[in-house]
Each structure stands twice: as structure tokens, then as C-alpha cells.
Amino acid sequence: MKRYCQTLTLVDDEQMIAQYVEAHAHVWPEIIAGQREVGILDMQIFRHGRSLFMICDTVDDFDWQRDMARLATLPRQAEWEAYVAQFQGCRADARSDEKWQMMERIF
């Protein structure tokens, strides 16, 4: 298994942050199915204020660039990314790697 960790800062608006949290309580089934299809075993997002921390566990042969590019082509993925972009302070067409910043493991 491989593990990737990323960070992102949400918009400075408590109401929009609440909407973002609510959206993630009801992630569309196609989004979860797409993640599984490309080899993402588990994805968790944690929040502290405006800061998000994502843990993404994948299959051993997962290649971040290749498989995330494939994920972007799957049903409803672009629609989901455009929807959550409003809370992330990004362009609606921003790729995941333009929003989420990969973190370096130090311990």
C-alpha cells in the first residue's frame, strides 16, 4: 500500500466551510466508485479551521500522475471538482494537483 498526504486551505467564510463539510458527508457514489476504480483504497480528509489534511491510501502500483489523470476522466468527477472548487477558492476547472499540495513525510 502507498500513502499520500496533501493539504489545502479553504475560503475564509464559515458558511461556505460548513457547506463543504456537508458536501463531504454525502459524497456522490460515482466519486467513491471512481476512486476505487483507479486504485484509491481509502481517502480521509481532516479539518482544522480553514486547513484541510488529506490521507490517501492506494494500491502498490498506484502512480499519482497517471491515476489521478485517469480519475479526472471518470463519470461526474469534473462536476464534483467544479462544485467543491467554490469552497476551495479555486477556478472551477482547476485540477486536483493545482488545489491540493503534496506533503513531505518527515517522521
Side-chain angles (χ1 to χ4, degrees), residues 16 46 60 63 72 76 101:
M16 292 199 60
F46 297 84
D60 288 336
D63 177 274
R76 298 200 75 192
Q101 301 304 302

Side-chain angles (χ1 to χ4, degrees), residues 1-4 39-42 56-60 62 64:
M1 178 180 72
K2 289 182 180 176
R3 173 169 282 173
Y4 298 89
I40 297 172
L41 302 172
D42 186 47
C56 185
D57 293 328
T58 70
V59 296
D60 288 336
F62 191 86
W64 189 267

Side-chain angles (χ1 to χ4, degrees), residues 7-12 50-52 87-90 99-100:
T7 188
L8 179 142
T9 302
L10 294 171
V11 296
D12 191 9
R50 293 176 52 213
S51 299
L52 299 181
F87 310 111
Q88 300 166 333
C90 304
K99 301 187 280 185
W100 288 92

Side-chain angles (χ1 to χ4, degrees), residues 25-103:
H26 306 285
V27 176
W28 305 339
E30 299 92 342
I31 301 309
I32 302 298
Q35 290 174 350
R36 300 296 181 268
E37 184 176 328
V38 300
I40 297 172
L41 302 172
D42 186 47
M43 181 181 286
Q44 299 176 28
I45 300 174
F46 297 84
R47 180 177 81 94
H48 179 74
R50 293 176 52 213
S51 299
L52 299 181
F53 173 68
M54 178 195 299
I55 300 172
C56 185
D57 293 328
T58 70
V59 296
D60 288 336
D61 64 347
F62 191 86
D63 177 274
W64 189 267
Q65 297 300 323
R66 178 195 68 210
D67 294 319
M68 292 304 281
R70 182 169 165 239
L71 178 63
T73 69
L74 296 180
R76 298 200 75 192
Q77 188 65 37
E79 183 183 354
W80 175 261
E81 291 293 339
Y83 174 65
V84 296
Q86 66 183 315
F87 310 111
Q88 300 166 333
C90 304
R91 297 183 331 270
D93 65 343
R95 295 184 323 267
S96 179
D97 65 345
E98 293 175 310
K99 301 187 280 185
W100 288 92
Q101 301 304 302
M102 195 66 72
M103 300 181 78

